[in-house]
Amino acid sequence: IAKKWESLDFDEVTTLIKTQQDARDKKMIDAGKVDELVTERVEAINAKFEEDLAAKDVTIGELEGIVSVTVVDAAITAAAVESGVRKESLPIVLSQARSAGWGRDGEKAVLKVDGGVVYGKEPNQPKTPKEWIEDDLLKLHPYLAEPSTGAGTTGEGGGGGGGTTEFADMSDISI
């Protein structure tokens, strides 16, 4: 089939179709069917317009989806970093956010459950991504956060600044 179409000149085909349409139009004009011809042309233009409009609506919908994901991901990522989430945990946090119902309302990320906005600590204010991460996500999944390094801990293996004592060395300790 490829060889069959290989030698085809699309400019010639376009010219041939236009010539054929012009001949058809001339016959309709000569037969006094001008109104019918105009109606056909208007219908063809309208059909093409509707097709183009539908294609643009699809494109707009796809772009709105991309913008929504970008707005939510940016808000959740910023709140996660601010809340001390491990960098390697960010994909998990973003996945949890999508599952929880985070979406976009204008330029803001909002949490919606069953179609209604979830409110946070401030009266009549939607829950912020930071509130969700700190109050909900990290309480359920504390391993997503960076380990604490405060109060003398090293963040690895626990234990404060006092070091470790071997059991054998404890014989001199009085209880």
Side-chain angles (χ1 to χ4, degrees):
I1 293 178
K3 287 186 178 186
K4 182 178 181 180
W5 298 102
E6 193 174 275
S7 63
L8 194 60
D9 182 356
F10 289 103
D11 290 334
E12 284 183 34
V13 171
T14 303
T15 303
L16 182 61
I17 291 171
K18 172 129 178 56
T19 303
Q20 185 180 15
Q21 182 65 42
D22 289 347
R24 185 178 170 279
D25 292 351
K26 183 166 178 8
K27 277 185 182 179
M28 288 184 78
I29 291 169
D30 291 345
K33 298 181 180 179
V34 175
D35 290 340
E36 191 176 318
L37 177 63
V38 170
T39 301
E40 283 180 14
R41 290 286 178 98
V42 169
E43 287 174 357
I45 290 170
N46 283 340
K48 177 70 173 136
F49 174 76
E50 292 296 327
E51 182 182 312
D52 291 348
L53 189 60
K56 285 186 188 334
D57 287 345
V58 168
T59 302
I60 289 169
E62 291 170 351
L63 293 174
E64 284 179 348
I66 291 168
V67 168
S68 290
V69 168
T70 304
V71 167
V72 171
D73 284 2
I76 296 295
T77 300
V81 168
E82 188 179 338
S83 299
V85 170
R86 294 174 183 250
K87 291 176 189 164
E88 53 275 357
S89 297
L90 285 175
I92 297 169
V93 172
L94 292 171
S95 176
Q96 289 289 323
R98 289 183 191 104
S99 295
W102 280 94
R104 178 177 69 111
D105 185 17
E107 298 299 317
K108 287 184 166 185
V110 293
L111 179 59
K112 292 184 179 181
V113 175
D114 296 328
V117 173
V118 176
Y119 291 96
K121 295 174 183 174
E122 295 293 321
N124 299 322
Q125 292 296 317
K127 182 175 265 196
T128 66
K130 186 175 182 191
E131 287 176 330
W132 174 75
I133 289 170
E134 292 176 354
D135 298 344
D136 300 342
L137 187 67
L138 291 180
K139 286 186 179 172
L140 290 172
H141 307 285
Y143 54 86
L144 296 173
E146 291 287 351
S148 175
T149 56
T153 64
T154 62
E156 295 178 18
T164 59
T165 304
E166 294 293 323
F167 184 72
D169 296 338
M170 296 175 125
S171 60
D172 297 336
I173 298 175
S174 60
I175 297 179

